Amino acid sequence: MTFIVRQIATTADGREIIRSNPFPADEIGIGRSTTNAIHLPDLAVNPDHATIRKRDDGQIIVESSSGQNFTLDGKHRISVTINPSAGAELGFGGHVIIVSEEGDDIVLTVKRVEALSDSAEIRSESTLYTLKGLLPGKRLSAWGFIALVLAAFLVWPIYTWATWRGVEERPDQFYADTMWSSGPLSSAHHALEKDCQACHVDAFVTVTDNTCLTCHEEDAHDHAAKPRLLTARGGPEGLEVIGATFAAAFNKPPGRCVECHSEHEGSGAMEPTAQKFCADCHDGMDRRLTDTKLENASDFGISHPQFRPAVLVTPGGKNPPRKRVSLDQKPTENNGLKFPHDVHLSKTGGVAQMGRRLSTTYGFGDSLVCKDCHTADPKGVRFEPVDMKEDCSMCHSLAFDEIGGTVRTLRHGEPAMVQADLRAYYRSTRPTRPINLGGMKRRRPGTDNEARVASDYARAVQFRPSRANMAISQVFSRGGACYDCHGVTPPTARGRVDYGIMPVTQTDRYMHNGWFSHEAHNDEKCTSCHNAPASKSAEDLLLPGIKTCRECHGGEFQKASDVPSTCAMCHDYHADDGAPWLIREEQKDKQQKPDKKIARR
Amino acid sequence: MASNAITAPPARKKVAMHDGFLKHAGYRWLKISSALMLICIVSYIFIDVSPRHNGGSWYGYTLGTIGALLILWLTMLGVRKRAMTPGQWSLKAWTSAHIYLGLSLIVIGTLHTGFQLGWNIHTAAYIFMMIVIISGIVGIYFYATIPKALSDNRDEMTETEMLENLRSLDRQLHEAAQPLSAEHATLVLQSLEQDPFGGGFFQRISGRYPDCATRQAQADLRRERAYQPKMGGDDPLDKVDALLEKKEATLARVRRHLKLKAMLQVWLFIHVPMTFALIASLTAHIISVFFYW
């Protein structure tokens, strides 16, 4: 029984060279040292690593002599007994020793299985110097991102849309389609922030007016009939064709609420309608909407027609006829009253003198001023109608009798009652009794005189009631209390005194399509705009023209003007009787932040 | 006759031997891109869009369409680069256009947003775009600066030569270490068995390998021998030490080479996947806008 050691070496071109050496000994050594029968030039192997010893029964014992272990069929061992006929594979560092039996001999085939060093291993040089393997591959991560992004930003929101269709209000939680929101909603619609489906009903169909009108049943009436609106606006011009093409291609009809009310533009109040939106139609509108009665307007400072107040045609009645006349035509108006503003506002003369005399009672100044007669309405926007009792009677007294310190006055506004009261007065009173009738006072000598006085007086008493007619005529005629201020209708027949008063209509608002608040102009004097001190007649329409307004108000972009003013300052698209939306928002702001307002002033 | 004598010399045509993708054709694409950006900015300022600039106005649609088409075209460089051709539409011209038109997207994309940004898909697409552009800028910077450093470091060695150099040193080490004791042999073995191209991404990009076995082996051997008397004659450890030092120098060169090459490549690992993230989010952006509109 001999140990035969077969060393297998591989040449550079892969050919195997086998060298066999017999060792007729009972024990041979394994190690890096060249003294060993099995010499392994392997740094992982101890110079004297192990010994192989024959046993009498034909088995061999492999035992570590260095304390370093080796492997038997891949398992770490320090000492093993092997039956060579069964075969085994021993591992020492990068070498294996295959144990087998050939006849009586024990063959130990030695072979290097691991590369000498790591760098010696076969490598693909094309990727060796790249980042391959160190980072996730570009292709892989590209596909990963595509899948992730499409799933998160497209599929998920569409799924959310599909599952919540037709629901009025969604419960409070996260919804994927809110990721599509291009910006916060305005404060008015803030509650809808999580309810995309409330407005965005159908896929690829733009928000329709019906959606808006679900909530805005009353406050969103039409500005004008839609066909007229679209005609007035005209087709897209120039580069706007691009936008229109997109709109047409993606099912976005023109003239919808959201065209002006653009949402997702940021939290806070919705932006007031920009002047451009008005000008889109109203600039040069007569060319497109040929039958319009409106004049063109595009900017208050540059292109805006003269004001056309609704002037009374005839006063009286609940809804007296009115006609819109341009102030350029210098319209006058008969409101049924006579009132020379110049006389009343004069700093000299009877009226001023009377005012001074009554100043302690009524708080007048050196002469009368507007507020002595005109009272602002509770909101300060316009003025209350002038009231005879409140605003005129301080001077224009209707007193005609005094009984026990109580002054009796004629009933204002009821001509028939005036006539009746005067008749009653003359019926129930006697003429002043002459002092020489009866008694001993200051008589003239003789009875003739006495008789004449008595008969005169008797005649006066007799005719006293008929004096009423004269008094009535006087009150209603030139110089009389009524005639001073009112137009008087003559009696129905000669000899009768059924005078009447012409109807009076006081106009509290001339311009119903534009907004003007007196309160907002508190810093100005009345006379800055209303030339009342020069007005000799109540027929003068003391409204200022656009020229006066433009002294302070310029157009939206005339930043040099005192008050650059957009259309929205006076006009509203969905106008009602109240202030325009812009003004209301400003007032809301002022209420919320009074400090700021003070600071600004 | 006279005219023959005074023939003007032909105007010298300037032919540059080589100009990079940045300077290609006298900065042609830089000029085109600058003009495009200028047009966008000026028109943004002067075109009055009501109520205000946003992606949904006609102007916004125009910028958005230009931007989206540009993004798709820029992406095509990935296809185009696989076929190198010379001429007017050479790969270099294409790359130059890619860079400068890509930069112009900063202006086009930003103006398309109308500066309305928020936590939504639209801004996500914008952010992806900006990541792609910024990684591209980093890439341009690397491409402009690294090749020289790379060339200096290689010292006219090829990558194959570097690898062969390492293999040779390893073989010599293995040979020289044969007489060593088990402990010393283990140290050398550690150096041999460590993958010179191993280490994670961060080691690769930083060029720092704190657990370098070669350095460790050399240090340990030196520490051990510091107080031992010189044996004189043929101490195998002397040879091993010299070989370890050689290997360390080669490793340093290889690692610097790896670091520079990693820098040349790493931005693409952001640039390319983010481009596809951008295209996906762009798709979602466009569809969502028309889906809920």
Side-chain angles (χ1 to χ4, degrees), chain A residues 92 105 183 189 237 278 305 393-394 409 444 501 521 525 561:
Chain A
F92 290 86
D105 297 335
H189 291 151
E237 281 172 18
C278 307
S393 65
M394 302 88 93
T409 55
R444 278 165 117 189
I501 297 294
H521 296 80
K525 283 190 252 168
S561 65

Side-chain angles (χ1 to χ4, degrees), chain A residues 32 41 46 117-119 121 123 125 129-131 141 161 177 179-181 204 206-207 250 252 265, chain B residues 52 54 58 120-122 159-160 167 170 174 178 180 182 185 192 195 204 265 273 288 290-293:
Chain A
R32 177 151 45 83
N46 198 278
S117 70
D118 191 270
S119 63
E121 284 171 21
R123 291 157 184 277
E125 273 183 52
Y129 290 91
T130 66
L131 287 172
S141 42
W161 163 80
D177 51 354
M179 288 191 291
W180 283 356
S181 168
F204 300 107
T206 182
V207 176
F250 290 96
K252 198 175 191 179
E265 294 280 1
Chain B
R52 64 174 171 136
N54 66 37
W58 70 260
N120 52 45
I121 161 66
H122 319 292
E159 289 179 347
T160 313
R167 282 174 174 166
D170 278 351
H174 186 259
Q178 286 302 324
L180 297 191
L192 295 186
D195 182 2
R204 179 74 69 94
Q265 294 160 12
S288 73
F290 294 123
F291 197 100
Y292 269 10
W293 101 303

Side-chain angles (χ1 to χ4, degrees), chain B residues 19-186:
Chain B
D19 57 356
F21 50 79
L22 292 176
K23 293 181 188 169
H24 173 76
Y27 293 105
R28 175 190 294 156
W29 287 103
L30 172 63
K31 289 169 190 163
I32 292 174
S33 161
S34 305
L36 184 62
M37 289 191 271
L38 196 69
I39 291 169
C40 288
I41 293 171
V42 169
S43 57
Y44 184 87
I45 293 168
F46 285 102
I47 287 175
D48 183 24
V49 170
S50 57
R52 64 174 171 136
H53 275 297
N54 66 37
S57 66
W58 70 260
Y59 184 68
Y61 287 141
T62 308
L63 286 183
T65 309
I66 293 173
L69 292 177
L70 205 50
I71 285 169
L72 292 179
W73 181 80
L74 291 167
T75 311
M76 291 309 287
L77 181 74
V79 178
R80 176 66 183 80
K81 74 169 185 181
R82 286 168 170 82
M84 285 205 190
T85 55
Q88 190 74 9
W89 290 102
S90 66
L91 182 58
K92 197 204 290 175
W94 194 289
T95 309
S96 189
H98 177 90
I99 288 168
Y100 289 116
L101 292 179
L103 288 173
S104 74
L105 259 185
I106 299 177
V107 171
I108 295 171
T110 307
L111 295 184
H112 173 64
T113 67
F115 299 96
Q116 294 186 48
L117 302 172
W119 294 105
N120 52 45
I121 161 66
H122 319 292
T123 303
Y126 177 75
I127 290 170
F128 282 132
M129 185 190 80
M130 292 310 286
I131 291 174
V132 172
I133 295 174
I134 290 167
S135 64
I137 292 172
V138 171
I140 296 167
Y141 174 75
F142 283 168
Y143 265 80
T145 53
I146 288 178
K148 186 173 179 334
L150 204 58
S151 160
D152 289 349
N153 180 61
R154 271 190 329 152
D155 198 19
E156 295 181 359
M157 273 173 92
T158 62
E159 289 179 347
T160 313
E161 280 172 346
M162 276 188 230
L163 181 60
E164 278 312 320
N165 188 207
L166 274 177
R167 282 174 174 166
S168 160
L169 287 170
D170 278 351
R171 276 195 301 272
Q172 293 175 55
L173 265 174
H174 186 259
E175 199 57 44
Q178 286 302 324
L180 297 191
S181 66
E183 296 76 43
H184 292 162
T186 311

Side-chain angles (χ1 to χ4, degrees), chain B residues 153-253:
Chain B
N153 180 61
R154 271 190 329 152
D155 198 19
E156 295 181 359
M157 273 173 92
T158 62
E159 289 179 347
T160 313
E161 280 172 346
M162 276 188 230
L163 181 60
E164 278 312 320
N165 188 207
L166 274 177
R167 282 174 174 166
S168 160
L169 287 170
D170 278 351
R171 276 195 301 272
Q172 293 175 55
L173 265 174
H174 186 259
E175 199 57 44
Q178 286 302 324
L180 297 191
S181 66
E183 296 76 43
H184 292 162
T186 311
L187 288 174
V188 176
L189 190 63
Q190 277 169 9
S191 163
L192 295 186
E193 287 188 342
Q194 190 174 47
D195 182 2
F197 300 94
F201 167 73
F202 290 104
Q203 290 189 349
R204 179 74 69 94
I205 200 80
S206 66
R208 288 175 208 283
Y209 296 81
D211 54 352
C212 171
T214 305
R215 197 184 315 124
Q216 194 66 43
Q218 197 193 21
D220 283 358
L221 280 178
R222 284 190 176 174
R223 198 180 308 121
E224 204 175 298
R225 298 172 68 216
Y227 302 106
Q228 280 179 2
K230 280 267 178 191
M231 301 279 288
D234 247 2
D235 186 351
L237 281 174
D238 282 343
K239 197 174 179 199
V240 168
D241 183 69
L243 282 168
L244 282 174
E245 195 168 308
K246 261 184 171 175
K247 185 178 176 187
E248 214 187 314
T250 304
L251 274 179
R253 187 198 296 271

